[in-house]
Amino acid sequence: MSTTRRTLTLTLLLVAAGSLAFATGAAVIDGPADTVADGDLAIERADGPSGRYAYFDSDDEIAIDVSASNPNVRDPSFEGVNIGTTGRIDDVFEITYTADQYARVWIDHPDENVTFVADGTSIEGRSSNVTLAPNETVAVGLRIDARGAAAGTALGGDDFDIRAEIAEPEDAGTTALNSDDADDAEDGGATTTVRALAADTREFDAGGLSPGQAVTFDAGRMELAGGNVTLDRVRIADTPGGDVGFRTVGRPGPFASAGPLADSRGAAPNGYFEFNHTFTAEEVSGVRFSVSVDREYLNDTGGDPEDLALFRRSESEPDGWERLETERVDPSVRQFLDLPEDRVHVEATTDDFSVFAVATERPVVRATGASLDRTAVAPGESVVVRATVANEGGADGSREVTVTADGDPVATRLVDLDPDESTALAFEPAFDDPGTYEVAVGDAAAGTLVVGDPGGDESDGDGAASAGGGSDAGDAGSNDASDAADSPTEEPSGIDPSNLGGLAAFLVIVLVSVALVRRMPRS
């Protein structure tokens, strides 16, 4: 294996060039390009607005200039990168490998202020290389950190190298495997090949398939979030026959084409992978993905092995993501396949393809309604606060439910609920200080509670002051307020003697009526 490079000195500009000693291949460059190594590696400006920062200098080499001296920047207000800031410029230039083998490409660059990235990930250093297939292109951008830099400083360091080497089949992780239901290739049966283009990238090919034949690929623990989350196997239950090929790419963060996992039931993403293919859903069905998650990592992130699930990006779903039916791999199957016990293994099957997320479902416990048994109490008394609490998440779990008064906690209860389960709770907090309080259970308002009489009037509106009426009310009205407060409470059913005259008159009228009736002659 040979490694080649070419070094350039940097001043105010970032000048990129490289060298590669490979067999000549057919170029796929459409426009002007900085071609090296007999045309096997080509560097050209990227399409799009960020491509303006790259141009060809007098030596026909790509130059990168993020300053006012760039001839492509015609904005008179643009002077360069602001000091004290950070940022990223995607897709400034492209590197295309045009030979007929696989190649690893990376950039060596000593300056920490400027980092070369592809898809937002550093490609500096051999361990961060990108593997290019014949006629494959990678777009390269810049991540800039101008914190601590002084005005007028030229970022970029002294020099940088674009380096490349042939990716030998055994080094690239390329393996040829017979699927579970394929005969040996020498007998004319189907074969499967998996190429590990990078730790997070796999290319899958199957050939010689019969219509309807199933095929299984070993992904070799393709990384989604380092070694913590990996894609282990891909099985297609029904193929159209002939050849089938696809590629998967893993990433700890979301893909720009899909965005982050949005799940109203609280699932937290652990990693993503993209499924790129040329076949249609009508040609291929029953694609099963087998992924695994490190148990220690799952424990550190507060996840439960029972709550792992796969999601698929779907515009038709309310949240934009469809939860796939996910199953834990049976222990007997795990033992038969010799799968590591320190990992949690799950599988999910789909007939539709896009971007997928591996996530840990979480409980989402909240109060859906709350109320008070009364709206006023004396200082030191308690009030009953009732609430209905539901788990709207995708996993069971325990959560604290808190009653607050004006935002301050006054009572707490621990509840344990299964997904979609609800329960009724009753709290009885006491309130010592007079005042008016807004009581809530979580985010659910229970009502307004008055403790004491914030207005300062402690008389009873239905007491003796309002009960007095008629000619006898004068003496009662002249009583001191404190005497009225200490006097016994009159029962509503009692009869005031002042009303007896009316009652007697009513009885006389009734008796006269009866006498008249009795004196009427019979017909």
Side-chain angles (χ1 to χ4, degrees), residues 215-304:
V215 59
T216 300
F217 299 91
D218 183 354
R221 290 179 61 177
M222 186 192 86
E223 296 181 359
L224 308 187
N228 292 322
V229 186
T230 59
L231 174 65
D232 300 336
R233 292 175 307 283
V234 180
R235 177 179 173 80
I236 304 177
D238 187 1
T239 65
D243 299 335
V244 171
F246 57 93
R247 173 183 288 197
T248 57
V249 179
R251 185 175 295 175
F255 288 84
S257 59
L261 172 64
D263 177 44
S264 59
R265 293 174 64 83
N270 303 112
Y272 300 81
F273 66 94
E274 190 175 42
F275 186 79
N276 300 313
H277 59 92
T278 56
F279 49 76
T280 65
E282 289 74 22
E283 295 174 322
V284 167
S285 62
V287 178
R288 185 179 69 199
F289 298 107
S290 301
V291 303
S292 66
V293 179
D294 180 77
R295 288 184 182 273
E296 185 175 349
Y297 160 82
L298 198 60
N299 182 67
D300 291 343
T301 55
D304 190 307

Side-chain angles (χ1 to χ4, degrees), residues 76-101:
S77 64
F78 179 78
E79 297 180 357
V81 178
N82 293 328
I83 60 172
T85 62
T86 61
R88 197 175 81 198
I89 306 175
D90 292 324
D91 303 345
V92 176
F93 65 97
E94 295 178 341
I95 301 174
T96 301
Y97 173 52
T98 61
D100 55 3
Q101 302 182 60

Side-chain angles (χ1 to χ4, degrees), residues 100-115:
D100 55 3
Q101 302 182 60
Y102 284 85
R104 292 192 182 94
V105 179
W106 69 94
I107 293 176
D108 283 339
H109 183 232
D111 195 299
E112 296 181 355
N113 295 106
V114 179
T115 304

Side-chain angles (χ1 to χ4, degrees), residues 460-470 473 476 490 496:
D460 188 349
D462 295 327
S466 61
E490 296 182 355
D496 193 317

Side-chain angles (χ1 to χ4, degrees), residues 200-495:
D200 59 1
T201 307
R202 297 290 186 270
E203 194 171 78
F204 304 84
D205 289 294
L209 298 169
S210 302
Q213 183 177 354
V215 59
T216 300
F217 299 91
D218 183 354
R221 290 179 61 177
M222 186 192 86
E223 296 181 359
L224 308 187
N228 292 322
V229 186
T230 59
L231 174 65
D232 300 336
R233 292 175 307 283
V234 180
R235 177 179 173 80
I236 304 177
D238 187 1
T239 65
D243 299 335
V244 171
F246 57 93
R247 173 183 288 197
T248 57
V249 179
R251 185 175 295 175
F255 288 84
S257 59
L261 172 64
D263 177 44
S264 59
R265 293 174 64 83
N270 303 112
Y272 300 81
F273 66 94
E274 190 175 42
F275 186 79
N276 300 313
H277 59 92
T278 56
F279 49 76
T280 65
E282 289 74 22
E283 295 174 322
V284 167
S285 62
V287 178
R288 185 179 69 199
F289 298 107
S290 301
V291 303
S292 66
V293 179
D294 180 77
R295 288 184 182 273
E296 185 175 349
Y297 160 82
L298 198 60
N299 182 67
D300 291 343
T301 55
D304 190 307
E306 298 293 337
D307 298 332
L308 283 175
L310 268 70
F311 291 77
R312 184 186 67 85
R313 184 72 172 94
S314 173
E315 295 289 348
S316 62
E317 295 293 321
D319 291 334
W321 291 82
E322 174 195 8
R323 185 195 184 280
L324 302 180
E325 189 67 31
T326 307
E327 298 179 349
R328 290 276 300 277
V329 174
D330 186 87
S332 60
V333 176
R334 186 188 65 198
Q335 184 176 6
F336 176 77
L337 296 177
D338 196 24
L339 303 178
E341 296 184 6
D342 61 347
R343 302 181 69 81
V344 181
H345 304 267
V346 296
E347 296 179 329
T349 301
T350 180
D351 292 329
D352 299 299
F353 319 110
S354 57
V355 174
F356 297 84
V358 181
T360 307
E361 295 187 293
R362 310 278 183 167
V364 180
V365 177
R366 69 181 190 90
T368 59
S371 63
L372 304 174
D373 72 330
R374 48 185 170 162
T375 58
V377 295
E381 291 185 345
S382 61
V383 63
V384 177
V385 184
R386 293 185 171 85
T388 300
V389 178
N391 180 5
E392 299 175 348
D396 65 292
S398 300
R399 290 293 186 272
E400 286 187 342
V401 180
T402 301
V403 178
T404 59
D406 290 343
D408 297 324
V410 295
T412 300
R413 183 80 56 81
L414 184 68
V415 296
D416 192 344
L417 297 174
D418 291 331
D420 300 320
E421 182 184 6
S422 63
T423 187
L425 300 180
F427 305 83
E428 197 168 356
F431 292 82
D432 296 327
D433 299 328
T436 301
Y437 299 90
E438 296 299 328
V439 182
V441 181
D443 294 330
T448 302
L449 177 68
V450 177
V451 179
D453 187 355
D457 182 7
E458 297 182 0
S459 64
D460 188 349
D462 295 327
S466 61
S471 61
D472 296 333
D475 293 338
S478 64
N479 289 337
D480 185 85
S482 60
D483 294 337
D486 296 333
S487 62
T489 302
E490 296 182 355
E491 294 292 336
S493 60
I495 300 177

